[in-house]
Amino acid sequence: MAIGDAVFGGDRRPIISGPCSVEPDYVRHAEAAAAAGADVLRGCVFKPRSGPDRFQGMGAEGIPLLGQARARTGLPIIAEPLDGDDVRLLRDHVDGFLIGARSMRNSRLLESVGRTGMPIILKRSFAATYAEWLGAADYIRATGNDDVILCERGIRTFVTETRNTLDVAAVPVLASRTDLPVIIDPSHAAGRREWVLPLALAGAAVGAAGIIVESHPVPEQSWTDSCQALSTPELRDLIEKVGRLNSLNELSST
Amino acid sequence: MAIGDAVFGGDRRPIISGPCSVEPDYVRHAEAAAAAGADVLRGCVFKPRSGPDRFQGMGAEGIPLLGQARARTGLPIIAEPLDGDDVRLLRDHVDGFLIGARSMRNSRLLESVGRTGMPIILKRSFAATYAEWLGAADYIRATGNDDVILCERGIRTFVTETRNTLDVAAVPVLASRTDLPVIIDPSHAAGRREWVLPLALAGAAVGAAGIIVESHPVPEQSWTDSCQALSTPELRDLIEKVGRLNSLNELSST
Amino acid sequence: MAIGDAVFGGDRRPIISGPCSVEPDYVRHAEAAAAAGADVLRGCVFKPRSGPDRFQGMGAEGIPLLGQARARTGLPIIAEPLDGDDVRLLRDHVDGFLIGARSMRNSRLLESVGRTGMPIILKRSFAATYAEWLGAADYIRATGNDDVILCERGIRTFVTETRNTLDVAAVPVLASRTDLPVIIDPSHAAGRREWVLPLALAGAAVGAAGIIVESHPVPEQSWTDSCQALSTPELRDLIEKVGRLNSLNELSST
Amino acid sequence: MAIGDAVFGGDRRPIISGPCSVEPDYVRHAEAAAAAGADVLRGCVFKPRSGPDRFQGMGAEGIPLLGQARARTGLPIIAEPLDGDDVRLLRDHVDGFLIGARSMRNSRLLESVGRTGMPIILKRSFAATYAEWLGAADYIRATGNDDVILCERGIRTFVTETRNTLDVAAVPVLASRTDLPVIIDPSHAAGRREWVLPLALAGAAVGAAGIIVESHPVPEQSWTDSCQALSTPELRDLIEKVGRLNSLNELSST
């Protein structure tokens, strides 16, 4: 399974990165992520938020930036749609779709992205069981599209220091239940940049097929999720260290 | 705030009932709920499910049954849409909308139902904080529609005997944070019919403004959620007992 | 099953009350609770705390106050031991024991209180399943002592507004699994005094056999748990309102 | 900080292993763990269980086996006490104490083991916050004993496939709050032997100072926790693979 040239489930773990949301300076942000070694760009112009007063993303006017970033970096790009209209707007400008945690249970959206035939990264919802998560994947697969990558991004527990609790066991448990690759999102699990690297390493060691991580040239100026974005040097460091675990890839196979 | 003649936040607690999903015999099911004393009918033709192989509801072909049920019982009716298209199909045939737990984080759908100007029952998502739940309500209110009724239906915890854990404290906590009425869904919290009545009474005693409860003339033949639907006599019993708590309505105000 | 004259599982629901911890003015506090209508006094001289720097209770020097309170009010009294030595110190001065949530999994302590043959209120631990809670009760019952009263005091969930999430469903679920009565502690569930009354009413309506609630003549001066203690007038109000639900006792039996 | 010669917080991660509970063949079990490369033996003769009908450990009659195992393997040994009497029985026969999840909130026991001055491994309770866990460590440290090793063994969440959810983030979060080393118990987190290795690797990669893992020469014949014990070859494999991560020790330091 691949997004552009980035193969998930192979010898190395692709890194998906970029800012939480597309901002006017997105092309420069994408170049920074590419220079740090990212394999796939995240370019989200529609943002699901917890209230209407928050920044909802640049919307359709951000879409041209996706093509520019792709052209400048040569990297594939993924974006998150919130409904079928977004899917139609985005499909000619991206290499794959990201379904966020808030949308995992939106069966109409799952069917809509599924029908594009493009690769889909499906994040686990806040309190989704493995069965519910696989059921959501089934909505996509029922359209004939098996290019689904599952993404563990932390579950909601009583712990408040981290934004969510990264359920690393999801990787080996799902390996026994599905043929779909599972990647890890340490950014939304940690919620704070200083904990992103160790969680990424835990994800790599447990056998995740890739990492999706938020980065921004000037994290504290990030329009959204500024607490958890890595700076460009931090991203480069993470990519280098995760890469050193690639050689230990066989570790987690018993 | 009212759905048809049923006032939420007044002297008595309206009971919303009917089968989990509209089945071909829906009109008869609605008549049974009405005969038992229900104030509002639930008539869901689109069903959000945890996988594509499960019954997804009768769909558009079930919509004519809603009008027939309304005509035969004289009761208002609510239905659950899954996207904007459903909202358009349903809006001339219902008196209000139900947003299910799976859709609470679907901001596009919230805006779509909001714009109808009709009353909206907004269920809390599986692991939604109070702030996230009110944020979802804000998406509706931002359209100018303040007719939102919040519905506590149980949260996901480590408890496995019940389907979810009914968070009765949501009622007094939210009373200090919002002017919106809060109702209780004991059916999805309990998951088994024998526990529905005590949870409904707990909800009434804690100050809920109404109850939404699944019922079916022959529960074990219900196409969905057959374990938790009340029989018609059980529904009548619940309505009578909840009604006895209405006189104690002032109990929970300190 | 009774503590002194207070019968649990009968026509009315006994109210256990008193300050969180015994303070030098305890006798006056006990008289206030008695005057408000409490049936049993709580008189905890040993306090399990979340760190060594917090007030650990008056200890053995508080024990004489228990007898004085009993003499002045004529009410039975319960206290919480933390180990076998405490049990020996307390047993001649109390009418029953309280095992707190922190001690539910302390099998040696359960055996020790069990062997006194006195009534035991066994609180559910923070994240105990029903099976684990009943297993703890079995440690007591294995000593030949069946006078165990289970106490639901809220479980730990992702909700942060309340101190814990009151699992009212514990009452009907356990009624189908055990002959032991279940009471409710709304104080530790709520964590704030304004939510104690509605949670107590929910507990009464769901069928709890009694209520244990913290009270203090001047709550804000309480040495421990000052946020959740009821004032004496608030306690009187709660007792009166819970009493009005006694007549509806049969409500929750289907 | 060290248990015998095993240093926690140094260049390599000590492995603590042995059967869940001491059985009559314990010396042979200990030899197998030692041969596989374990650094410290676990030798639990008192078992906290979820009910009185389960095997409660060999008790005092198992204690002589601890000395024999120590003599035969040359390895240090730790054991779990349930109360102060156990501490007195064990202290001359062990090199350190293990406080299990069920006992983390037992302040009297914490003080009792603390006063021995010996190293203490303090497991996190099922739903303990970081603050509560550190508060428990403070009960030990208040006796003047700072040789406390924290052990993350999984928290209780809604996930049912694994026995608990391993909270790997505990390692970096606690590193910012305390000078105490944190080790990982993948056995109780996984609950099934096939998931123990990946969780151990995740723990090593996230920066844990050591691993405690259950092993048994014939796991399926283990008297307790037979589902999660590793066989001797599996233990050897885990130790070898965790060791390969030692060279990457500096990975998780940013």
Side-chain angles (χ1 to χ4, degrees):
Chain A
M1 199 169 307
I3 301 178
D5 293 335
V7 178
F8 292 80
D11 285 344
R12 54 186 297 284
R13 295 177 181 84
I15 307 293
I16 304 167
S17 195
C20 175
S21 55
V22 168
E23 304 171 13
D25 254 356
Y26 177 70
V27 177
R28 196 167 57 79
H29 301 171
E31 288 177 311
D39 301 287
V40 179
L41 296 172
R42 52 176 292 154
C44 295
V45 296
F46 304 110
K47 293 299 302 173
R49 301 307 301 276
S50 48
D53 297 334
R54 302 184 173 207
F55 175 60
Q56 310 285 311
M58 285 186 68
E61 77 175 287
I63 293 180
L65 299 176
L66 304 184
Q68 295 170 33
R70 208 156 45 155
R72 292 282 273 277
T73 63
L75 294 182
I77 199 164
I78 60 169
E80 178 174 0
L82 300 187
D83 63 13
D85 289 340
D86 291 354
V87 174
R88 283 181 285 280
L89 285 170
L90 289 167
R91 61 174 301 164
D92 292 337
H93 307 277
V94 298
D95 302 277
F97 287 102
L98 177 66
I99 297 295
R102 288 175 179 80
S103 298
M104 189 205 85
R105 302 183 192 276
N106 184 343
S107 56
R108 297 289 169 80
L109 178 60
L110 297 172
E111 292 166 343
S112 180
V113 291
R115 282 190 297 262
T116 65
M118 296 170 76
I120 315 294
I121 295 178
L122 177 63
K123 286 196 174 183
R124 181 184 190 178
S125 189
F126 300 81
T129 63
Y130 301 138
E132 290 168 344
W133 192 8
L134 292 173
D138 286 343
Y139 270 108
I140 297 171
R141 302 180 87 168
T143 68
N145 182 348
D146 286 321
D147 281 355
V148 181
I149 297 167
L150 302 170
C151 177
E152 162 65 31
R153 43 79 74 206
I155 57 174
R156 187 155 280 169
T157 68
F158 62 86
V159 177
T160 56
E161 283 80 359
T162 48
R163 184 167 171 178
N164 294 282
T165 297
L166 187 69
D167 178 19
V168 286
V171 177
V173 174
L174 286 172
S176 67
R177 296 207 175 178
T178 179
D179 56 328
L180 301 175
V182 183
I183 68 171
I184 291 277
D185 171 357
S187 305
H188 286 84
R192 279 174 55 177
R193 81 176 52 83
E194 61 263 46
W195 301 328
V196 169
L197 173 61
L199 293 189
L201 294 173
V206 87
I211 309 279
I212 180 167
V213 56
E214 295 184 352
S215 62
H216 192 285
V218 193
E220 49 280 7
Q221 291 177 12
S222 184
W223 290 16
T224 50
D225 281 355
S226 59
C227 294
Q228 71 195 35
L230 296 186
S231 69
T232 308
E234 288 169 335
L235 175 62
R236 184 179 297 115
D237 182 54
L238 178 146
I239 292 174
E240 189 271 329
K241 286 174 173 167
V242 167
R244 287 162 67 185
L245 284 173
N246 284 338
S247 62
L248 304 176
N249 229 347
E250 72 285 11
L251 275 188
S252 57
S253 52
T254 40
Chain B
M1 199 169 306
I3 301 178
D5 293 334
V7 178
F8 292 80
D11 286 344
R12 53 186 297 284
R13 297 176 180 83
I15 307 293
I16 304 167
S17 196
C20 175
S21 55
V22 167
E23 304 171 13
D25 254 357
Y26 176 71
V27 178
R28 196 167 57 78
H29 301 169
E31 288 177 310
D39 302 287
V40 180
L41 295 173
R42 53 175 291 155
C44 295
V45 296
F46 304 110
K47 293 300 301 172
R49 302 306 301 277
S50 48
D53 297 335
R54 303 184 174 209
F55 174 61
Q56 309 285 312
M58 285 187 69
E61 79 174 288
I63 293 179
L65 299 175
L66 304 183
Q68 294 171 34
R70 207 153 50 151
R72 292 281 274 277
T73 63
L75 293 182
I77 199 165
I78 60 169
E80 179 174 358
L82 301 187
D83 62 14
D85 289 341
D86 291 355
V87 174
R88 283 181 284 279
L89 283 172
L90 288 167
R91 62 175 300 163
D92 293 336
H93 306 277
V94 298
D95 302 277
F97 287 102
L98 177 67
I99 298 295
R102 287 174 179 80
S103 298
M104 188 207 84
R105 301 183 193 275
N106 185 341
S107 56
R108 298 290 169 79
L109 178 60
L110 297 172
E111 292 165 343
S112 179
V113 292
R115 283 190 296 263
T116 65
M118 297 170 75
I120 315 295
I121 295 177
L122 177 62
K123 287 195 174 183
R124 181 185 192 178
S125 189
F126 299 82
T129 63
Y130 300 138
E132 290 169 343
W133 192 7
L134 292 174
D138 285 343
Y139 270 108
I140 297 171
R141 302 180 86 168
T143 68
N145 182 349
D146 286 321
D147 281 356
V148 181
I149 297 166
L150 301 170
C151 178
E152 162 65 32
R153 43 78 75 205
I155 56 174
R156 186 155 280 170
T157 69
F158 62 86
V159 177
T160 55
E161 284 80 358
T162 48
R163 184 166 171 179
N164 293 281
T165 296
L166 187 69
D167 178 19
V168 286
V171 177
V173 174
L174 287 172
S176 67
R177 295 205 175 180
T178 180
D179 57 327
L180 301 176
V182 184
I183 68 171
I184 291 277
D185 171 356
S187 303
H188 286 83
R192 279 174 54 177
R193 80 177 51 85
E194 61 263 46
W195 300 329
V196 169
L197 174 61
L199 293 189
L201 294 173
V206 87
I211 309 278
I212 180 167
V213 56
E214 294 184 351
S215 62
H216 192 285
V218 193
E220 51 279 6
Q221 292 177 14
S222 183
W223 290 15
T224 50
D225 282 353
S226 59
C227 294
Q228 72 195 35
L230 296 186
S231 69
T232 308
E234 287 168 335
L235 175 62
R236 185 179 296 116
D237 182 54
L238 178 147
I239 292 174
E240 189 271 329
K241 286 174 174 167
V242 167
R244 286 162 67 184
L245 284 172
N246 284 339
S247 62
L248 304 176
N249 230 347
E250 73 285 9
L251 273 189
S252 56
S253 52
T254 38
Chain C
M1 200 168 307
I3 301 178
D5 293 335
V7 178
F8 292 81
D11 285 345
R12 54 186 296 284
R13 297 177 181 83
I15 308 292
I16 304 167
S17 196
C20 175
S21 55
V22 167
E23 304 171 14
D25 254 357
Y26 177 69
V27 177
R28 197 168 56 82
H29 302 170
E31 288 177 310
D39 301 287
V40 179
L41 296 171
R42 55 175 290 155
C44 296
V45 296
F46 304 110
K47 293 299 302 173
R49 302 305 302 277
S50 47
D53 297 335
R54 303 185 173 208
F55 175 61
Q56 309 284 312
M58 285 186 70
E61 78 175 287
I63 294 180
L65 299 174
L66 304 183
Q68 294 171 32
R70 207 155 47 155
R72 293 280 274 275
T73 63
L75 293 182
I77 200 165
I78 59 169
E80 179 174 0
L82 301 187
D83 62 14
D85 290 341
D86 291 354
V87 174
R88 282 182 285 280
L89 284 171
L90 288 167
R91 61 174 300 163
D92 292 338
H93 307 277
V94 298
D95 302 278
F97 287 102
L98 177 67
I99 297 295
R102 289 174 179 79
S103 298
M104 189 206 85
R105 302 183 193 275
N106 184 342
S107 56
R108 297 289 169 79
L109 178 60
L110 298 172
E111 291 166 342
S112 180
V113 291
R115 284 190 296 263
T116 65
M118 297 170 76
I120 314 295
I121 295 178
L122 177 63
K123 285 195 173 182
R124 181 184 190 178
S125 189
F126 300 81
T129 64
Y130 300 139
E132 290 169 344
W133 192 8
L134 292 174
D138 286 342
Y139 270 108
I140 297 171
R141 302 181 86 168
T143 68
N145 182 348
D146 286 322
D147 281 357
V148 181
I149 297 166
L150 301 170
C151 177
E152 161 66 31
R153 44 79 73 206
I155 57 174
R156 186 155 280 169
T157 69
F158 62 87
V159 177
T160 56
E161 283 80 359
T162 48
R163 184 166 172 179
N164 293 281
T165 296
L166 187 69
D167 178 19
V168 286
V171 177
V173 174
L174 286 172
S176 68
R177 295 206 175 180
T178 180
D179 56 328
L180 301 176
V182 183
I183 68 172
I184 292 277
D185 171 356
S187 305
H188 286 84
R192 279 175 55 179
R193 82 177 51 84
E194 61 263 46
W195 300 329
V196 169
L197 173 62
L199 293 189
L201 293 173
V206 87
I211 309 278
I212 180 167
V213 56
E214 294 184 351
S215 62
H216 192 285
V218 193
E220 50 279 5
Q221 291 177 12
S222 184
W223 291 15
T224 51
D225 282 355
S226 59
C227 294
Q228 72 195 34
L230 296 186
S231 69
T232 307
E234 288 168 335
L235 175 62
R236 185 179 296 116
D237 182 54
L238 179 146
I239 292 174
E240 189 271 330
K241 285 174 174 167
V242 167
R244 287 161 66 184
L245 284 173
N246 284 338
S247 62
L248 304 176
N249 230 347
E250 72 284 10
L251 275 188
S252 56
S253 51
T254 39
Chain D
M1 199 169 306
I3 301 178
D5 293 335
V7 177
F8 292 80
D11 285 346
R12 54 186 298 283
R13 296 177 181 82
I15 307 292
I16 304 167
S17 196
C20 175
S21 54
V22 168
E23 304 172 12
D25 254 355
Y26 176 70
V27 178
R28 197 167 57 79
H29 301 169
E31 288 177 311
D39 301 286
V40 179
L41 296 172
R42 53 175 291 155
C44 296
V45 297
F46 304 110
K47 294 299 302 171
R49 302 305 303 277
S50 48
D53 297 335
R54 302 184 173 208
F55 174 60
Q56 309 285 311
M58 285 186 70
E61 78 175 286
I63 293 180
L65 299 175
L66 304 183
Q68 295 171 32
R70 210 156 44 155
R72 291 281 274 278
T73 62
L75 294 182
I77 199 165
I78 58 169
E80 179 174 359
L82 300 187
D83 62 13
D85 290 340
D86 292 354
V87 174
R88 283 180 285 279
L89 284 170
L90 289 168
R91 60 174 300 164
D92 293 335
H93 306 276
V94 298
D95 301 278
F97 287 102
L98 176 67
I99 298 296
R102 288 175 179 80
S103 298
M104 189 206 83
R105 301 183 193 276
N106 184 343
S107 55
R108 298 288 169 80
L109 178 60
L110 297 172
E111 292 166 341
S112 180
V113 291
R115 284 191 296 262
T116 65
M118 298 172 74
I120 315 295
I121 295 177
L122 177 62
K123 287 196 173 181
R124 180 185 191 178
S125 188
F126 299 83
T129 63
Y130 301 138
E132 290 169 344
W133 193 8
L134 291 174
D138 286 342
Y139 270 108
I140 297 172
R141 302 180 87 168
T143 68
N145 182 347
D146 286 322
D147 282 356
V148 180
I149 297 166
L150 301 170
C151 178
E152 163 65 32
R153 43 78 74 205
I155 56 175
R156 186 155 280 168
T157 68
F158 63 85
V159 177
T160 56
E161 284 79 358
T162 48
R163 184 166 171 180
N164 293 281
T165 297
L166 187 69
D167 178 18
V168 285
V171 177
V173 174
L174 286 172
S176 67
R177 296 206 175 179
T178 180
D179 57 328
L180 301 176
V182 183
I183 68 171
I184 291 277
D185 171 356
S187 305
H188 287 84
R192 279 175 56 177
R193 82 176 50 85
E194 61 263 46
W195 300 329
V196 169
L197 173 61
L199 293 189
L201 294 172
V206 88
I211 309 279
I212 180 168
V213 56
E214 294 184 352
S215 63
H216 193 285
V218 193
E220 50 281 5
Q221 291 177 13
S222 183
W223 290 15
T224 50
D225 282 354
S226 58
C227 295
Q228 72 195 35
L230 296 186
S231 70
T232 307
E234 288 168 335
L235 175 62
R236 184 179 296 115
D237 182 54
L238 178 146
I239 292 174
E240 190 271 328
K241 286 175 174 167
V242 167
R244 288 163 65 185
L245 284 173
N246 284 338
S247 61
L248 304 175
N249 230 347
E250 72 284 12
L251 275 188
S252 56
S253 52
T254 40

